[in-house]
Amino acid sequence: MRTTISLLIASAALALAAPSPKILPLKGLIRNRPAPEDLLAQIEILKVASLAAENTTETETITAPYKNVWASLTTAEAAQVVSFLHNQTDLNLTAAADADTWSNWVGAIDLAPPNKTDVLDWIDGKASEPPRFAKVILQFQATDEPYLEEMIVGPIESDSSSMTYRPYTEGSTRIGNIRQRNYDADADVVYEFIEKQCSQAATAIKSLLGADWSEFDIWGIDPLWHEEVDNDERVMYWVGFWGVPTTLGDFETLLPQGLYMKIDQTSRDPKNWKLVGWLYGGVYYRGTAAFLAAFESPTFETYTRNEGVDGSWAMTDNKGSALPLDSRAPPMQILPEGKRWKVDADAKFVAYGDFEYFISFTRDTGVRLFDIKYKGERIIYELGLQEALAHYSGADPVQSGTGYVDSYYGFGPYAFELLPGFDCPSYATFLNATFHANEISTTHPAAICLFESDMGTPIQRHASSAYVSATKGLVFTMRSVSTVGNYDYSFDYNFYQDGSIETVVRASGYIQSVPMPYDPLHRYNETISIV
Ligand SMILES: *[C@@H]1O[C@H](CO)[C@@H](O)[C@H](O)[C@H]1NC(C)=O
Ligand SMILES: *[C@@H]1O[C@H](CO)[C@@H](O)[C@H](O)[C@H]1NC(C)=O
Ligand SMILES: *[C@@H]1O[C@H](CO)[C@@H](O)[C@H](O)[C@H]1NC(C)=O
Ligand SMILES: *[C@@H]1O[C@H](CO)[C@@H](O)[C@H](O)[C@H]1NC(C)=O
Ligand SMILES: *[C@@H]1O[C@H](CO)[C@@H](O)[C@H](O)[C@H]1NC(C)=O
Ligand SMILES: *[C@@H]1O[C@H](CO)[C@@H](O)[C@H](O)[C@H]1NC(C)=O
């Protein structure tokens, strides 16, 4: 019996799970890795669908008391919004698929949630159903100062003649102008610039890293670094070289090579860009000439690089010999008399015990709950993630310059199909999740699961000489897991018999790491000398 599972996913999915996923995949940064033939033989290929089908009992159905006005936009609604926006000539939009770095294009599209007051009036029969609006991120790049701006677009009705758009100012804490300057609009072209710098130092890189520079992935800080140079604000990009795993393992973030470049990418004209410096072995070199001169000098010190690219050590499969009795099936929960919760799968409405709620799903933050009621009383209007910020630190500039704001990458696009029997009990109810980005609507099947389980400890007990009583500790969970690059965030919304509600976030996946090729005695106190 296995307590760890490995699945080979269709190769198209490999590129998506690579680190540094931007709203649009960047050329050069994300490689498709073909599955090596010998690995296919090692990995047990299981069909997720057939696992899910095993031992499932039907979910009891229920009809939602009213329409889910918080439901994600349908594919038809998103398509109508895209069509409307493309008809607005003043936006000067290019189809996302044809967009280049100098085009305006449509990024993410989510529901702009209706105003709470409007919804409550409608539920109470005092107003008509609130109209549907979309919240759209437009990427304005056909300009010297590229920016992103959120627009509210609607009402979305079969007749689109009354549709309008305007900046979604109420979705921001900023007053007035909500435009967000985009300093990274030219990422693709910057990558070509980086490649050119590498080819000028090709011999040194090959000698230090043991392979041609083109064998490595080259990426770095997010967001970009702003630095004052001679009273002028410059936009800097620190990048590092990362080993590309030669296996299916997704552990590139464990393979920093200890070589870094600093690029000044201020302005949209590549002629103004500059390689500012190289960092290797705790020494910073101002420019390629200084780096190469040092490299060619007989006193240049080289360090053992973070090789490990064959990577069996970094895979997460079972290793070593089995634990005693590990060949027996582990404990499992069953539903002896069927599911004790009800779902309206179309309306995304759930009822369990004294609880009921509606589900929505967004590109930016994944699952959200609305109108949570306990014994018929609304106790929470909206419950969901707002942001997950991953602030890194470390002895190298890429680590210390990194502060991922993960809603930018999106929790929706990275909420993939769950593994029955591992992510959730196989008897769970699985729901699909749909999101809209770059003018494409995508549905991930079985990305949300709902299940009741026994916590294995009673929520109360008491014993006296006359009687003993205990109440089972049961919990109803809604779970989704978003693998944003190297991290897997697992989100639970738990509903307990005592009326309490709990949110749980768990992290798994791979760390993003820093190499330690030098000064092992002072590994958290790197002193960098400047040449
Ligand atoms: C399904 O149930 C049968 C019998 O109840 C059991 O033998 C089997 O292991 C179960 N399979 C799964 C995946 O739960
Ligand atoms: C956009 O314009 C096209 C062509 O005139 C029209 O067919 C389409 O209905 C318009 N889309 C919307 C949402 O108004
Ligand atoms: C519209 O966008 C194109 C690129 O897609 C650009 O060449 C052109 O200058 C833009 N026009 C205006 C008026 O901004
Ligand atoms: C919410 O109310 C404000 C103020 O009346 C209005 O400007 C806005 O359009 C409303 N939003 C939606 C999504 O209906
Ligand atoms: C979920 O998606 C699958 C296909 O991927 C489809 O067969 C199924 O009907 C969908 N379920 C719901 C509840 O929409
Ligand atoms: C940091 O490292 C430098 C050089 O290795 C050493 O001289 C210094 O004492 C260290 N500082 C601390 C606080 O450990």
Side-chain angles (χ1 to χ4, degrees), residues 37-334:
E37 287 302 318
D38 52 338
L39 262 147
L40 293 177
Q42 286 168 30
I43 293 186
E44 209 167 340
I45 302 176
L46 300 171
K47 277 211 186 99
V48 178
S50 65
L51 264 176
E54 251 185 282
N55 293 5
T56 41
T57 54
E58 288 292 310
T59 302
E60 303 288 333
T61 56
I62 188 171
T63 304
Y66 30 80
K67 193 174 152 183
N68 185 346
V69 289
W70 309 275
S72 333
L73 294 180
T74 63
T75 301
E77 287 174 322
Q80 197 185 344
V81 169
V82 170
S83 163
F84 167 79
L85 290 171
H86 276 281
N87 287 354
Q88 313 308 307
T89 46
D90 48 341
L91 292 176
N92 192 20
L93 292 170
T94 302
D98 302 328
D100 64 20
T101 54
W102 279 87
S103 315
N104 296 346
W105 51 280
V106 179
I109 303 182
D110 268 327
L111 176 80
N115 287 325
K116 179 179 170 185
T117 43
D118 296 344
V119 172
L120 297 185
D121 282 352
W122 164 67
I123 291 174
D124 294 343
K126 289 189 250 163
S128 52
E129 185 187 314
R132 304 261 290 166
F133 285 86
K135 181 191 86 170
V136 182
I137 295 176
L138 292 183
Q139 301 266 0
F140 291 97
Q141 299 192 183
T143 165
D144 281 335
E145 300 270 328
Y147 60 94
L148 291 79
E149 189 166 16
E150 257 180 9
M151 300 286 180
I152 182 163
V153 184
I156 310 169
E157 287 156 356
S158 49
D159 170 13
S160 53
S161 57
S162 53
M163 261 175 126
T164 58
Y165 73 94
R166 63 168 172 82
Y168 187 43
T169 46
E170 65 268 46
S172 169
T173 48
R174 285 196 200 177
I175 312 278
N177 183 357
I178 59 161
R179 292 179 179 181
Q180 178 61 50
R181 178 73 164 81
N182 178 5
Y183 293 98
D184 206 17
D186 297 302
D188 286 358
V189 196
V190 169
Y191 189 74
E192 288 164 17
F193 177 83
I194 290 171
E195 290 182 313
K196 249 181 249 152
Q197 310 312 308
C198 290
S199 58
Q200 284 167 24
T203 310
I205 299 171
K206 190 165 183 176
S207 161
L208 299 178
L209 304 189
D212 195 72
W213 61 266
S214 59
E215 302 285 308
F216 297 92
D217 279 349
I218 304 167
W219 51 270
I221 57 169
D222 179 15
L224 296 174
W225 187 320
H226 293 240
E227 192 175 312
E228 205 175 281
V229 180
D230 301 331
N231 293 323
D232 190 20
E233 189 186 279
R234 312 296 298 176
V235 181
M236 303 292 191
Y237 186 31
W238 267 108
V239 294
F241 289 72
W242 299 86
V244 180
T246 53
T247 67
L248 284 175
D250 187 35
F251 48 83
E252 180 168 321
T253 51
L254 297 185
L255 302 175
Q257 299 295 303
L259 179 63
Y260 303 92
M261 297 160 84
K262 186 180 186 182
I263 314 291
D264 180 338
Q265 63 169 78
T266 317
S267 103
R268 299 209 67 186
D269 183 354
K271 282 200 220 75
N272 297 331
W273 299 346
K274 192 162 92 206
L275 180 130
V276 185
W278 293 82
L279 177 67
Y280 179 75
V283 183
Y284 177 71
Y285 303 93
R286 296 182 200 268
T288 303
F291 174 51
L292 294 183
F295 168 72
E296 278 152 19
S297 95
T299 56
F300 187 78
E301 215 177 328
T302 59
Y303 299 88
T304 309
R305 76 185 183 95
N306 183 358
E307 205 159 355
V309 280
D310 84 326
S312 64
W313 59 273
M315 301 293 278
T316 44
D317 310 88
N318 270 348
K319 288 204 178 62
S321 49
L323 297 169
L325 300 184
D326 201 30
S327 56
R328 292 187 184 170
M332 66 191 292
Q333 301 210 6
I334 56 160

Side-chain angles (χ1 to χ4, degrees), residues 517-531:
Y518 46 92
D519 197 9
L521 292 178
H522 298 101
R523 45 180 53 202
Y524 300 109
N525 163 32
E526 301 299 350
T527 312
I528 290 176
S529 53
I530 298 179
V531 174

Side-chain angles (χ1 to χ4, degrees), residues 506-522:
R506 296 183 181 88
S508 193
Y510 287 102
I511 59 165
Q512 181 177 300
S513 61
V514 58
M516 282 299 160
Y518 46 92
D519 197 9
L521 292 178
H522 298 101

